[in-house]
Amino acid sequence: MLALDAMVDLDLFICPRCGSRVRRERGAAGERWLCRGAGCALADQPFPVVSGVPALVDFEASVLDADRLRAVEGASEVRRSRSAGMLRRLLHPANTTAPANVARMQELLKSEVTDRRPRILVIGGGTVGDGLEGLYADPAVDLISFDVYASPVTQFVGDGHSIPLADGSVDGVIVQAVLEHVLEPTVVAGEIERVLRTGGLVYADTPFLQQVHEGPYDFTRFTDSGHRFLFRRFERIDSGPVAGAGTALRWSVDHFVRALTRSVPVGRVVSLAFFWLSWLDRFLDPKHSVDAASSVFFLGRKTGEPISGADIIDYYQGGM
Ligand SMILES: C[S@@+](CC[C@H](N)C(=O)[O-])C[C@H]1O[C@@H](n2cnc3c(N)ncnc32)[C@H](O)[C@@H]1O
Ligand SMILES: [Zn+2]
């Protein structure tokens, strides 16, 4: 991952309110991160530093609260547990589309950016997403990652609605299992477009038929077509279901039993008996599966030229 110091040297950080460069100052009292934009309401009020990293957030326009973030030193508001390896792998078969798509992004960028290491931004990267292990292990890319909380695998705290990075400053963006958790996905998609250079690549995977997770922080779902249209100013390289109708059905069983028995553990245990439904995804017809997919992906290239309403109707990949 790119070091925070290297990001400062590259002059990447901007104010999430006014877009002016953010400066890091080191003094006797420690380090301060400041917007110096003339007339910016955030100018001269240092951004919070939590767990040693800056929280470059416009708190008036975010679900994040500055005082709460400081009080918990940037810890996640959502309890995050990762069930033990074997059981987790049985319950959640590995994401079969992300490794190939992300590897394709890495290879395309390495062949196109020849004068330096390609810079790839992970949004909502507090945990390493499913299938991204190869990306994190690749020494030939500079990885930048942020989330709304501080984590050992992020360099700063930020909000995807106002990414504190300069226009056109990255070559690739990965946003995995995140767009359902943001209040305004179109705003976040606009920010992805802004921070990418023209010709840069995006990989997004986002739930369609999935139950609410992360409690109060879950807002939206996307059909495959809706997801593609979210990235309307991108040329499509590939898109389709990530987890298909089998996974959607197994999770429906889990949540149906939860609602019937009023018990989360009972739902989880009963759905264990249906683990094979997820494994059947790989035998389903993608055309029918995409209409009932648990989640969908989009890999595309920024062109800046939007596709039209007629184009999105022609795009439909389902089995109707
Ligand atoms: C389901 S988790 C996925 C995490 C990771 N991408 C993965 O696949 O393991 C959703 C993530 O989105 C982050 N998130 C939610 N709202 C966000 C926002 N406005 N900006 C950036 N990240 C956000 C959450 O904190 C959380 O880490
Ligand atoms: Zn500012």
Side-chain angles (χ1 to χ4, degrees):
M1 286 181 70
L2 199 57
L4 187 58
D5 286 345
M7 294 183 67
V8 174
D9 291 345
L10 288 165
D11 210 13
L12 292 180
F13 289 117
I14 61 163
C15 170
R17 173 75 64 93
C18 72
S20 306
R21 287 294 191 278
V22 164
R23 309 279 170 226
R24 177 171 67 179
E25 293 175 0
R26 283 175 159 149
E31 72 174 31
R32 303 195 317 156
W33 293 75
L34 291 154
C35 166
R36 292 294 190 200
C40 176
L42 301 185
D44 301 323
Q45 294 171 29
F47 291 100
V49 174
V50 289
S51 294
V53 298
L56 302 172
V57 175
D58 180 357
F59 291 96
E60 272 181 35
S62 173
V63 292
L64 283 174
D65 179 88
D67 293 335
R68 251 163 65 183
L69 196 71
R70 279 196 190 93
V72 297
E73 274 295 323
S76 171
E77 294 275 333
V78 177
R79 198 165 53 87
R80 295 171 194 282
S81 66
R82 288 229 152 195
S83 41
M86 278 285 285
L87 182 63
R88 186 167 180 277
R89 274 198 291 279
L90 183 67
L91 288 174
H92 302 275
N95 181 321
T96 49
T97 47
N101 282 305
V102 172
R104 192 164 173 190
M105 174 189 280
Q106 282 165 255
E107 293 319 310
L108 281 169
L109 291 180
K110 280 191 253 181
S111 67
E112 291 163 10
V113 181
T114 49
D115 55 338
R116 56 178 170 79
R117 284 190 295 275
R119 212 171 281 149
I120 298 183
L121 171 68
V122 182
I123 299 177
T127 50
V128 175
D130 235 3
L132 302 194
E133 297 76 10
L135 173 70
Y136 281 75
D138 186 349
V141 300
D142 279 343
L143 210 60
I144 300 173
S145 176
F146 74 92
D147 204 306
V148 289
Y149 68 96
S151 134
V153 284
T154 53
Q155 291 102 328
F156 60 95
V157 174
D159 183 328
H161 294 91
S162 185
I163 301 175
L165 295 176
D167 297 3
S169 58
V170 301
D171 304 294
V173 170
I174 291 177
V175 59
Q176 183 177 35
V178 173
L179 290 170
E180 74 274 27
H181 298 294
V182 304
L183 279 174
E184 299 190 65
T186 47
V187 172
V188 177
E191 281 293 277
I192 291 172
E193 196 186 328
R194 180 185 64 76
V195 297
L196 272 173
R197 63 166 169 81
T198 300
L201 304 177
V202 68
Y203 172 76
D205 78 43
T206 312
F208 170 33
L209 296 181
Q210 243 177 61
Q211 291 74 16
V212 167
H213 50 278
E214 304 206 345
Y217 297 93
D218 192 344
F219 308 109
T220 319
R221 295 292 180 271
F222 285 92
T223 62
D224 177 57
S225 294
H227 198 235
R228 195 273 169 266
F229 198 63
L230 187 62
F231 296 101
R232 70 201 68 156
R233 281 180 289 275
F234 288 71
E235 176 189 35
R236 172 184 181 268
I237 297 174
D238 201 1
S239 57
V242 176
T247 301
L249 183 55
R250 183 175 63 73
W251 283 5
S252 289
V253 171
D254 178 341
H255 285 260
F256 169 72
V257 175
R258 287 183 195 193
L260 189 68
T261 63
R262 294 158 172 73
S263 164
V264 172
V266 173
R268 284 206 178 122
V269 168
V270 171
S271 79
L272 274 177
F274 293 88
F275 77 94
W276 47 271
L277 282 170
S278 296
W279 291 93
L280 287 184
D281 275 347
R282 57 195 68 196
F283 302 108
L284 303 179
D285 170 23
K287 273 178 112 48
H288 288 95
S289 196
V290 75
D291 282 338
S294 177
S295 52
V296 294
F297 78 91
F298 177 76
L299 174 67
R301 187 183 289 283
K302 172 177 162 179
T303 60
E305 291 298 318
I307 61 164
S308 67
D311 291 335
I312 196 63
I313 301 306
D314 289 343
Y315 163 82
Y316 173 64
Q317 311 197 80
M320 193 183 85

